[in-house]
Amino acid sequence: MVILKSSEEIEKIAESCRIVAKTLDAIKGIVRPGITTEEIEEFADAYIRANGAVPAFKGYRGYPASICTSLNNEVIHGIPSNRMLKEGDILSIDLGVYRDGFYGDGAVTFPVGKISPAAEKLLRVAEESLYIGIENARVGNRVSDISYSIQRHVELNGFSVVRAFVGHGIGRYLHEEPQVPNFGILGQGPRLRDGMTLAIEPMVNEGGYEVLILDDGWTAVTMDGRLSAHFEHTVLITADKPRILTKSN
Ligand code: MF3
Ligand code: CO
């Protein structure tokens, strides 16, 4: 069942989402060659707590950290470690927060220093696909209209969308119905309604869409070893245009 949110609930989700966005902004300021993903983890964990929230991923189904740090060929769920970033890397940061009974969820892929033109194009197309998906998150459309628009933009640009992980409803739970795939045909799935809150999160691969899970039980990597990017916003469907909640102001 897809849960519609009241205006009181929406403002609480929006507050959690603001903290997500502020934390991602702050992380942007420290991503540079020489920092380790564990140092980014510690910074993010402290930042979230200083804002009166709790990192939502820590302990979620046994996940061992407060954020996901997925480097280069890693798609999602990379676990922070003592690995050092270097010039030319791309780093996906995914984070969720919980505050006052409600979740917010967002992700950004950051360039580390100067990156290759191919990596730049991947980041651009992945982020564009998120905004195109959001543009289609409108009352009267169905969930797969979002999915279709994302897949179309990604594939027209020569990249692929990951199938193994999808976006989701969000609110009192981190993952609610409906699932929001980043691929599909038009006109399928639940109709979008005023008051739905969705985490839309395309994962875009430079090569093939297939992924593998590493022996740590979490890290998803591209099967072909090529790059992957991930952008995510939590969005409110309204009678008017979609409202992006994971904004810092
Ligand atoms: N943003 C991912 C998602 O929406 C985060 C997974 S939570 C984790 O599903 F804790 F398992 F990493
Ligand atoms: Co999510």
Side-chain angles (χ1 to χ4, degrees), residues 211-243:
V211 303
L212 295 171
I213 309 295
L214 298 186
D215 285 340
D216 62 19
W218 282 101
T219 313
V221 298
T222 57
M223 192 117 91
D224 59 15
R226 299 184 70 189
L227 297 176
S228 186
H230 181 205
F231 288 85
E232 176 177 25
H233 274 307
T234 297
V235 174
L236 171 69
I237 314 298
T238 79
D240 189 25
K241 60 184 171 48
R243 177 176 155 203

mmCIF file of all heavy atoms in Angstrom, residues 211-243:
data_model
loop_
_atom_site.group_PDB
_atom_site.id
_atom_site.type_symbol
_atom_site.label_atom_id
_atom_site.label_comp_id
_atom_site.label_asym_id
_atom_site.label_seq_id
_atom_site.Cartn_x
_atom_site.Cartn_y
_atom_site.Cartn_z
ATOM 1 N N VAL A 211 25.575 -6.059 -12.056
ATOM 2 C CA VAL A 211 26.375 -5.791 -10.851
ATOM 3 C C VAL A 211 26.675 -7.085 -10.105
ATOM 4 O O VAL A 211 25.994 -8.094 -10.289
ATOM 5 C CB VAL A 211 25.654 -4.802 -9.891
ATOM 6 C CG1 VAL A 211 25.335 -3.496 -10.606
ATOM 7 C CG2 VAL A 211 24.392 -5.411 -9.305
ATOM 8 N N LEU A 212 27.702 -7.020 -9.272
ATOM 9 C CA LEU A 212 28.070 -8.120 -8.385
ATOM 10 C C LEU A 212 28.144 -7.570 -6.972
ATOM 11 O O LEU A 212 28.458 -6.398 -6.786
ATOM 12 C CB LEU A 212 29.476 -8.637 -8.714
ATOM 13 C CG LEU A 212 29.736 -9.290 -10.052
ATOM 14 C CD1 LEU A 212 31.234 -9.501 -10.215
ATOM 15 C CD2 LEU A 212 28.993 -10.625 -10.095
ATOM 16 N N ILE A 213 27.886 -8.424 -5.980
ATOM 17 C CA ILE A 213 28.063 -8.010 -4.581
ATOM 18 C C ILE A 213 29.379 -8.604 -4.077
ATOM 19 O O ILE A 213 29.615 -9.806 -4.229
ATOM 20 C CB ILE A 213 26.907 -8.512 -3.688
ATOM 21 C CG1 ILE A 213 25.540 -8.138 -4.278
ATOM 22 C CG2 ILE A 213 27.061 -7.969 -2.267
ATOM 23 C CD1 ILE A 213 25.236 -6.676 -4.341
ATOM 24 N N LEU A 214 30.223 -7.768 -3.486
ATOM 25 C CA LEU A 214 31.511 -8.249 -2.972
ATOM 26 C C LEU A 214 31.313 -9.126 -1.725
ATOM 27 O O LEU A 214 30.229 -9.166 -1.138
ATOM 28 C CB LEU A 214 32.424 -7.063 -2.631
ATOM 29 C CG LEU A 214 32.815 -6.148 -3.793
ATOM 30 C CD1 LEU A 214 33.845 -5.115 -3.326
ATOM 31 C CD2 LEU A 214 33.358 -6.955 -4.976
ATOM 32 N N ASP A 215 32.407 -9.765 -1.322
ATOM 33 C CA ASP A 215 32.355 -10.680 -0.173
ATOM 34 C C ASP A 215 32.020 -9.988 1.141
ATOM 35 O O ASP A 215 31.680 -10.658 2.118
ATOM 36 C CB ASP A 215 33.696 -11.414 -0.017
ATOM 37 C CG ASP A 215 33.855 -12.497 -1.085
ATOM 38 O OD1 ASP A 215 32.821 -12.907 -1.660
ATOM 39 O OD2 ASP A 215 34.992 -12.920 -1.338
ATOM 40 N N ASP A 216 32.118 -8.648 1.200
ATOM 41 C CA ASP A 216 31.713 -7.961 2.433
ATOM 42 C C ASP A 216 30.189 -8.015 2.613
ATOM 43 O O ASP A 216 29.652 -7.578 3.633
ATOM 44 C CB ASP A 216 32.229 -6.506 2.466
ATOM 45 C CG ASP A 216 31.665 -5.638 1.329
ATOM 46 O OD1 ASP A 216 30.635 -5.989 0.729
ATOM 47 O OD2 ASP A 216 32.278 -4.579 1.054
ATOM 48 N N GLY A 217 29.481 -8.538 1.611
ATOM 49 C CA GLY A 217 28.031 -8.689 1.709
ATOM 50 C C GLY A 217 27.251 -7.431 1.362
ATOM 51 O O GLY A 217 26.019 -7.443 1.347
ATOM 52 N N TRP A 218 27.949 -6.333 1.093
ATOM 53 C CA TRP A 218 27.284 -5.058 0.821
ATOM 54 C C TRP A 218 27.668 -4.412 -0.512
ATOM 55 O O TRP A 218 26.796 -4.085 -1.311
ATOM 56 C CB TRP A 218 27.595 -4.041 1.949
ATOM 57 C CG TRP A 218 26.782 -4.298 3.156
ATOM 58 C CD1 TRP A 218 27.196 -4.939 4.292
ATOM 59 C CD2 TRP A 218 25.401 -3.980 3.343
ATOM 60 N NE1 TRP A 218 26.153 -5.021 5.174
ATOM 61 C CE2 TRP A 218 25.042 -4.429 4.622
ATOM 62 C CE3 TRP A 218 24.438 -3.331 2.564
ATOM 63 C CZ2 TRP A 218 23.753 -4.280 5.136
ATOM 64 C CZ3 TRP A 218 23.145 -3.169 3.069
ATOM 65 C CH2 TRP A 218 22.829 -3.641 4.347
ATOM 66 N N THR A 219 28.956 -4.221 -0.716
ATOM 67 C CA THR A 219 29.402 -3.391 -1.841
ATOM 68 C C THR A 219 28.956 -3.967 -3.178
ATOM 69 O O THR A 219 29.339 -5.073 -3.548
ATOM 70 C CB THR A 219 30.941 -3.264 -1.836
ATOM 71 O OG1 THR A 219 31.370 -2.942 -0.523
ATOM 72 C CG2 THR A 219 31.382 -2.188 -2.824
ATOM 73 N N ALA A 220 28.149 -3.201 -3.917
ATOM 74 C CA ALA A 220 27.756 -3.598 -5.268
ATOM 75 C C ALA A 220 28.715 -2.937 -6.247
ATOM 76 O O ALA A 220 28.928 -1.722 -6.191
ATOM 77 C CB ALA A 220 26.322 -3.159 -5.554
ATOM 78 N N VAL A 221 29.319 -3.733 -7.121
ATOM 79 C CA VAL A 221 30.261 -3.221 -8.124
ATOM 80 C C VAL A 221 29.755 -3.566 -9.515
ATOM 81 O O VAL A 221 28.966 -4.504 -9.695
ATOM 82 C CB VAL A 221 31.687 -3.812 -7.936
ATOM 83 C CG1 VAL A 221 32.260 -3.426 -6.584
ATOM 84 C CG2 VAL A 221 31.684 -5.334 -8.100
ATOM 85 N N THR A 222 30.226 -2.826 -10.497
ATOM 86 C CA THR A 222 29.853 -3.164 -11.876
ATOM 87 C C THR A 222 30.549 -4.464 -12.271
ATOM 88 O O THR A 222 31.705 -4.693 -11.926
ATOM 89 C CB THR A 222 30.282 -2.048 -12.852
ATOM 90 O OG1 THR A 222 31.699 -1.834 -12.740
ATOM 91 C CG2 THR A 222 29.555 -0.744 -12.552
ATOM 92 N N MET A 223 29.836 -5.313 -12.995
ATOM 93 C CA MET A 223 30.407 -6.602 -13.408
ATOM 94 C C MET A 223 31.602 -6.381 -14.333
ATOM 95 O O MET A 223 32.583 -7.122 -14.287
ATOM 96 C CB MET A 223 29.339 -7.412 -14.141
ATOM 97 C CG MET A 223 29.727 -8.834 -14.352
ATOM 98 S SD MET A 223 28.617 -9.907 -13.495
ATOM 99 C CE MET A 223 27.399 -10.224 -14.724
ATOM 100 N N ASP A 224 31.533 -5.342 -15.168
ATOM 101 C CA ASP A 224 32.605 -5.122 -16.147
ATOM 102 C C ASP A 224 33.712 -4.218 -15.630
ATOM 103 O O ASP A 224 34.654 -3.894 -16.361
ATOM 104 C CB ASP A 224 32.023 -4.590 -17.473
ATOM 105 C CG ASP A 224 31.261 -3.270 -17.300
ATOM 106 O OD1 ASP A 224 31.410 -2.618 -16.243
ATOM 107 O OD2 ASP A 224 30.519 -2.896 -18.223
ATOM 108 N N GLY A 225 33.612 -3.792 -14.378
ATOM 109 C CA GLY A 225 34.685 -2.993 -13.783
ATOM 110 C C GLY A 225 34.691 -1.525 -14.192
ATOM 111 O O GLY A 225 35.550 -0.765 -13.756
ATOM 112 N N ARG A 226 33.704 -1.132 -15.000
ATOM 113 C CA ARG A 226 33.684 0.270 -15.426
ATOM 114 C C ARG A 226 32.974 1.139 -14.385
ATOM 115 O O ARG A 226 32.434 0.647 -13.391
ATOM 116 C CB ARG A 226 33.031 0.370 -16.812
ATOM 117 C CG ARG A 226 33.842 -0.432 -17.849
ATOM 118 C CD ARG A 226 33.286 -0.284 -19.250
ATOM 119 N NE ARG A 226 33.513 1.080 -19.767
ATOM 120 C CZ ARG A 226 32.974 1.534 -20.901
ATOM 121 N NH1 ARG A 226 32.182 0.752 -21.619
ATOM 122 N NH2 ARG A 226 33.233 2.762 -21.311
ATOM 123 N N LEU A 227 32.952 2.453 -14.623
ATOM 124 C CA LEU A 227 32.471 3.408 -13.621
ATOM 125 C C LEU A 227 30.957 3.339 -13.421
ATOM 126 O O LEU A 227 30.208 2.931 -14.314
ATOM 127 C CB LEU A 227 32.826 4.837 -14.048
ATOM 128 C CG LEU A 227 34.302 5.182 -14.163
ATOM 129 C CD1 LEU A 227 34.456 6.613 -14.689
ATOM 130 C CD2 LEU A 227 34.999 5.033 -12.807
ATOM 131 N N SER A 228 30.516 3.829 -12.257
ATOM 132 C CA SER A 228 29.093 3.952 -11.962
ATOM 133 C C SER A 228 28.839 5.228 -11.167
ATOM 134 O O SER A 228 29.677 5.630 -10.356
ATOM 135 C CB SER A 228 28.630 2.743 -11.154
ATOM 136 O OG SER A 228 27.231 2.773 -10.984
ATOM 137 N N ALA A 229 27.692 5.856 -11.401
ATOM 138 C CA ALA A 229 27.321 7.085 -10.677
ATOM 139 C C ALA A 229 25.905 6.947 -10.116
ATOM 140 O O ALA A 229 25.082 6.202 -10.638
ATOM 141 C CB ALA A 229 27.400 8.291 -11.611
ATOM 142 N N HIS A 230 25.639 7.703 -9.049
ATOM 143 C CA HIS A 230 24.363 7.582 -8.319
ATOM 144 C C HIS A 230 23.934 8.955 -7.812
ATOM 145 O O HIS A 230 24.698 9.622 -7.109
ATOM 146 C CB HIS A 230 24.594 6.624 -7.138
ATOM 147 C CG HIS A 230 23.393 6.359 -6.276
ATOM 148 N ND1 HIS A 230 23.520 5.967 -4.967
ATOM 149 C CD2 HIS A 230 22.065 6.410 -6.534
ATOM 150 C CE1 HIS A 230 22.310 5.780 -4.444
ATOM 151 N NE2 HIS A 230 21.411 6.048 -5.381
ATOM 152 N N PHE A 231 22.733 9.365 -8.186
ATOM 153 C CA PHE A 231 22.164 10.610 -7.656
ATOM 154 C C PHE A 231 20.766 10.308 -7.132
ATOM 155 O O PHE A 231 20.017 9.561 -7.769
ATOM 156 C CB PHE A 231 22.084 11.684 -8.747
ATOM 157 C CG PHE A 231 23.432 12.238 -9.132
ATOM 158 C CD1 PHE A 231 24.220 11.593 -10.078
ATOM 159 C CD2 PHE A 231 23.914 13.390 -8.527
ATOM 160 C CE1 PHE A 231 25.470 12.097 -10.430
ATOM 161 C CE2 PHE A 231 25.166 13.905 -8.875
ATOM 162 C CZ PHE A 231 25.943 13.258 -9.835
ATOM 163 N N GLU A 232 20.445 10.890 -5.985
ATOM 164 C CA GLU A 232 19.146 10.601 -5.363
ATOM 165 C C GLU A 232 18.578 11.848 -4.698
ATOM 166 O O GLU A 232 19.294 12.579 -4.015
ATOM 167 C CB GLU A 232 19.324 9.511 -4.288
ATOM 168 C CG GLU A 232 18.061 9.195 -3.493
ATOM 169 C CD GLU A 232 18.261 8.067 -2.481
ATOM 170 O OE1 GLU A 232 19.417 7.851 -2.049
ATOM 171 O OE2 GLU A 232 17.274 7.420 -2.118
ATOM 172 N N HIS A 233 17.268 12.065 -4.902
ATOM 173 C CA HIS A 233 16.524 13.066 -4.141
ATOM 174 C C HIS A 233 15.282 12.412 -3.556
ATOM 175 O O HIS A 233 14.692 11.510 -4.175
ATOM 176 C CB HIS A 233 16.041 14.214 -5.029
ATOM 177 C CG HIS A 233 17.032 15.312 -5.231
ATOM 178 N ND1 HIS A 233 17.666 15.960 -4.179
ATOM 179 C CD2 HIS A 233 17.481 15.912 -6.359
ATOM 180 C CE1 HIS A 233 18.462 16.909 -4.677
ATOM 181 N NE2 HIS A 233 18.380 16.892 -5.988
ATOM 182 N N THR A 234 14.876 12.899 -2.395
ATOM 183 C CA THR A 234 13.547 12.599 -1.881
ATOM 184 C C THR A 234 12.615 13.700 -2.385
ATOM 185 O O THR A 234 12.918 14.886 -2.246
ATOM 186 C CB THR A 234 13.548 12.559 -0.343
ATOM 187 O OG1 THR A 234 14.399 11.493 0.093
ATOM 188 C CG2 THR A 234 12.139 12.346 0.203
ATOM 189 N N VAL A 235 11.503 13.287 -2.989
ATOM 190 C CA VAL A 235 10.621 14.208 -3.713
ATOM 191 C C VAL A 235 9.179 14.039 -3.223
ATOM 192 O O VAL A 235 8.725 12.917 -2.981
ATOM 193 C CB VAL A 235 10.688 13.878 -5.226
ATOM 194 C CG1 VAL A 235 9.683 14.704 -6.011
ATOM 195 C CG2 VAL A 235 12.094 14.106 -5.765
ATOM 196 N N LEU A 236 8.474 15.160 -3.093
ATOM 197 C CA LEU A 236 7.044 15.138 -2.771
ATOM 198 C C LEU A 236 6.227 15.358 -4.039
ATOM 199 O O LEU A 236 6.472 16.323 -4.780
ATOM 200 C CB LEU A 236 6.731 16.257 -1.763
ATOM 201 C CG LEU A 236 5.242 16.515 -1.490
ATOM 202 C CD1 LEU A 236 4.622 15.349 -0.719
ATOM 203 C CD2 LEU A 236 5.062 17.829 -0.728
ATOM 204 N N ILE A 237 5.271 14.466 -4.286
ATOM 205 C CA ILE A 237 4.340 14.664 -5.397
ATOM 206 C C ILE A 237 3.260 15.631 -4.924
ATOM 207 O O ILE A 237 2.694 15.453 -3.843
ATOM 208 C CB ILE A 237 3.646 13.335 -5.808
ATOM 209 C CG1 ILE A 237 4.651 12.181 -5.926
ATOM 210 C CG2 ILE A 237 2.827 13.524 -7.074
ATOM 211 C CD1 ILE A 237 5.708 12.355 -6.949
ATOM 212 N N THR A 238 3.000 16.655 -5.723
ATOM 213 C CA THR A 238 1.959 17.620 -5.360
ATOM 214 C C THR A 238 1.028 17.821 -6.557
ATOM 215 O O THR A 238 1.343 17.409 -7.671
ATOM 216 C CB THR A 238 2.545 19.010 -4.983
ATOM 217 O OG1 THR A 238 2.867 19.715 -6.187
ATOM 218 C CG2 THR A 238 3.787 18.890 -4.130
ATOM 219 N N ALA A 239 -0.082 18.493 -6.310
ATOM 220 C CA ALA A 239 -1.020 18.809 -7.391
ATOM 221 C C ALA A 239 -0.343 19.719 -8.406
ATOM 222 O O ALA A 239 -0.696 19.723 -9.582
ATOM 223 C CB ALA A 239 -2.258 19.488 -6.813
ATOM 224 N N ASP A 240 0.625 20.473 -7.931
ATOM 225 C CA ASP A 240 1.408 21.362 -8.789
ATOM 226 C C ASP A 240 2.676 20.612 -9.217
ATOM 227 O O ASP A 240 2.633 19.441 -9.499
ATOM 228 C CB ASP A 240 1.691 22.646 -7.995
ATOM 229 C CG ASP A 240 2.305 23.743 -8.833
ATOM 230 O OD1 ASP A 240 2.099 23.743 -10.060
ATOM 231 O OD2 ASP A 240 3.009 24.601 -8.251
ATOM 232 N N LYS A 241 3.823 21.286 -9.258
ATOM 233 C CA LYS A 241 5.020 20.547 -9.681
ATOM 234 C C LYS A 241 5.650 19.790 -8.513
ATOM 235 O O LYS A 241 5.398 20.105 -7.353
ATOM 236 C CB LYS A 241 6.012 21.466 -10.384
ATOM 237 C CG LYS A 241 6.535 22.624 -9.586
ATOM 238 C CD LYS A 241 7.431 23.453 -10.515
ATOM 239 C CE LYS A 241 7.876 24.773 -9.953
ATOM 240 N NZ LYS A 241 8.418 24.787 -8.620
ATOM 241 N N PRO A 242 6.477 18.760 -8.839
ATOM 242 C CA PRO A 242 7.110 17.999 -7.758
ATOM 243 C C PRO A 242 8.003 18.899 -6.910
ATOM 244 O O PRO A 242 8.618 19.828 -7.428
ATOM 245 C CB PRO A 242 7.947 16.949 -8.491
ATOM 246 C CG PRO A 242 7.905 17.287 -9.942
ATOM 247 C CD PRO A 242 6.820 18.263 -10.177
ATOM 248 N N ARG A 243 8.021 18.636 -5.608
ATOM 249 C CA ARG A 243 8.858 19.436 -4.700
ATOM 250 C C ARG A 243 10.026 18.572 -4.222
ATOM 251 O O ARG A 243 9.822 17.521 -3.617
ATOM 252 C CB ARG A 243 7.992 19.883 -3.514
ATOM 253 C CG ARG A 243 8.743 20.653 -2.454
ATOM 254 C CD ARG A 243 7.794 21.147 -1.350
ATOM 255 N NE ARG A 243 8.517 21.338 -0.112
ATOM 256 C CZ ARG A 243 7.969 21.323 1.098
ATOM 257 N NH1 ARG A 243 6.660 21.121 1.239
ATOM 258 N NH2 ARG A 243 8.707 21.502 2.178
#
